[in-house]
Structures are given as structure tokens and as C-alpha cells.
Amino acid sequence: MELSQSVLAALRDLGPGSLYRSFGTGRGGPPRITVGVGDSVQVTIFESAAGGLFIPNDAGARPGNFIQIPAQTVDQAGYISVPYAGAVPAKGRSLPEIQADIERRLANRAIEPQAVVALTNQTSSQVTVIGQVGSPNKININPAGDRILDVISKASGIADAGYETFVSLQRGRRKETIYFLNLLSNSQENIYVAPGDVIYVFQQKRAFTAFGASGQSGQFKFEQEHLPLADAVGKAGGLLDNRADPGQVLLYRIEHRELLERMNVDLSAFPRGQRAIPTIFRANFRDPSSFFVAKSFMMQDRDTIYVTNSDSVELFKFLDLVTGISGAVANVTSDVVTTRNAERVLRR
């Protein structure tokens, strides 16, 4: 695929590794936070007048017309116990839903009962943040919703340079990894976390490989936030004047199918279920405008650059091969003549 401005436009729009495409699509807001097994709740019940179920007639010395039930933990079956209301289901319910159920159960026993349920200890709605952060920990999710960067901040932030940091989110059996600076720069990628999520922050020095008719061959570290293709070629020693074909600088990488479809690439050779497609980009440095494209085409981790040999180099290789074969034939003929002459001398 030829590098062009249209390719750059698509690459800017869709980058490698996307939390939004994997987990965020279709979610209009934060996940619904409910009470779960292991959470501790405290129930307070109000009555409108004394002489009811909880407030006796001689309650003049009381500070108010309510009773506070000691905090209790939601049991393994998902219930809490409220006097005269019995076992009240709590697992999978919101606090207002639990309150309404308690009020309904006490309606015929207490005087206009009103219930207030508060979480005193939350363990079921947590996310785990591990890896290279300041304080790895389990973090409670705010009922209003927390995003990826919120919980990383609560874990005291990342411990290493942003341009060498990646963030991996595991939700159930699904897992996706994103470059930290992409997460930082694209608000769409900063999705809401859900109970049970595991966020792993790790450092990985990004690198690319270069070989062929470049000044140097091997693996090279990025060591910076953004590395354009033109700078990467320079890092690898540039193009060898006596070998390289400037019109055939190739870059190999694995691209997302969605991105290639947006560029109208024919993908009929690949199964519909294959999301990662091997892709080759070609930069023609014989065209001066390609330099400007190459300055905006950003390298990705594990990219491979291959600088092809020019046609003249391949021609010289062929001529060397022909010369070598001709020389070998000439040497054999000479050896035959020498052997024959020596034989004649011995016969005399």
C-alpha cells in the first residue's frame, strides 16, 4: 500500500489497541453499581410519630424518631436481616431498591416508615490496579462512575515515563491493551470501569527492526513519544547510496481490519473473522512529497523497515554470478590442457 495523505487520515482516526472498540461501544454512561456479597450496609428506619413499631410512646428523651440497625454484611445468599421485615434481598440491587423493599415490608406495622440504607464497606464493586503504579491496590468504584484514568490516579499514577507505558484492561475473559499516551490524548478511550475489572500498567520499551540496504541493521528503541517513519529511517543509518532503492522503502506491520476497510483495501483474501491483517506500506523517497508524508507517518511498536536493493545492485550480483561461473569453466579448461601436456611429457 502506497503511503499517502489519505492513509495518514485513516491512521490518525484509528490507532492500534482500543479500549473503546473492545469495551466501550454501546455504553452510554457508567455501569450500574449494586450491592453485592461481602458489602456492609447500615439500615436506618424513621417513623412519623412515637408509639409505633420502633419508637415507643415514652420516646421524649430520644434524640429523634428513628432507629439505627447495626451494620451488617450481605451474606453468601445475598440477604440482609431487618427486624420485622425479615430477610431482605440485597445482592444485585441498588440502595434505593433495598430501601423501597424495606418500607413496603414495614408499611402495615410501622407508622409511615421511611428507610435509609447506606454502604459502610464496599468490597463487591472494586477494580484491581496492579503493575507499575505508585500504589497498587483494590479501589472502590464511585457510584457516579470512575474512568480508567480516575482509578490509575487513585493508585498514585504511573511510575514510569508515559511514552514507555501501556495499560491493559481485563474484563471477564476479554483483554485489551492500549498505549498510555493514546489513552491520555483520546477521551473516547478513557472508558468507565466496571466491578471486577483488572487494570495492569506496565512498561515496555518500544522498538522497531530495520534491515536491508540501510546504514545499520538490527533493533532500535524509540526512546521518545512519537517516532515518524522518516526519523526511524535516519535512526537506522539512512539509505546506503550505493545499494538502496529510495523508491522501495517498505514497512511491515499488523493492522486492524476496520482501518484497512476504511481505506478501501481489498481484504477478500482474508476470512471475515480475522481482525489482524498483515500489511505492507511502501514509501517512495524518490518523490519529494513522500518526505512530508513520512514525517507524519508514526511508527508503532514492533514495526519492521526493509530497504530494498536498487536494480543496479541486483544486476551487479547477477554479473558477478555469471563471471564466477565463466571463470570456473575457464579454469577447468585450463586444468585439462595442463594435465594433457604433462601426460605427453611423461610418455616421452
Side-chain angles (χ1 to χ4, degrees), residues 248-320:
Q248 296 288 338
V249 178
L250 307 179
L251 183 137
Y252 299 78
R253 79 166 48 147
I254 304 298
E255 279 293 1
H256 289 282
R257 189 183 196 98
E258 293 88 344
L259 184 145
L260 298 175
E261 287 175 345
R262 290 172 67 93
M263 292 189 286
N264 299 317
V265 177
D266 181 12
L267 301 177
S268 58
F270 300 94
R272 289 297 305 173
Q274 184 175 345
R275 314 311 301 171
I277 308 294
T279 307
I280 301 175
F281 296 96
R282 184 175 77 93
N284 180 11
F285 285 164
R286 294 185 187 278
D287 181 2
S289 63
S290 290
F291 285 98
F292 296 99
V293 177
K295 289 293 288 184
S296 300
F297 183 90
M298 296 302 162
M299 299 287 292
Q300 295 179 8
D301 188 32
R302 300 182 183 179
D303 278 354
T304 298
I305 296 174
Y306 175 65
V307 181
T308 63
N309 289 325
S310 64
D311 293 339
S312 61
V313 171
E314 299 301 329
L315 176 60
F316 285 135
K317 284 184 178 179
F318 174 73
L319 293 177
D320 286 343

Side-chain angles (χ1 to χ4, degrees), residues 69-82:
I69 301 172
Q72 58 185 305
T73 301
V74 179
D75 62 24
Q76 289 295 323
Y79 288 85
I80 59 173
S81 180
V82 178

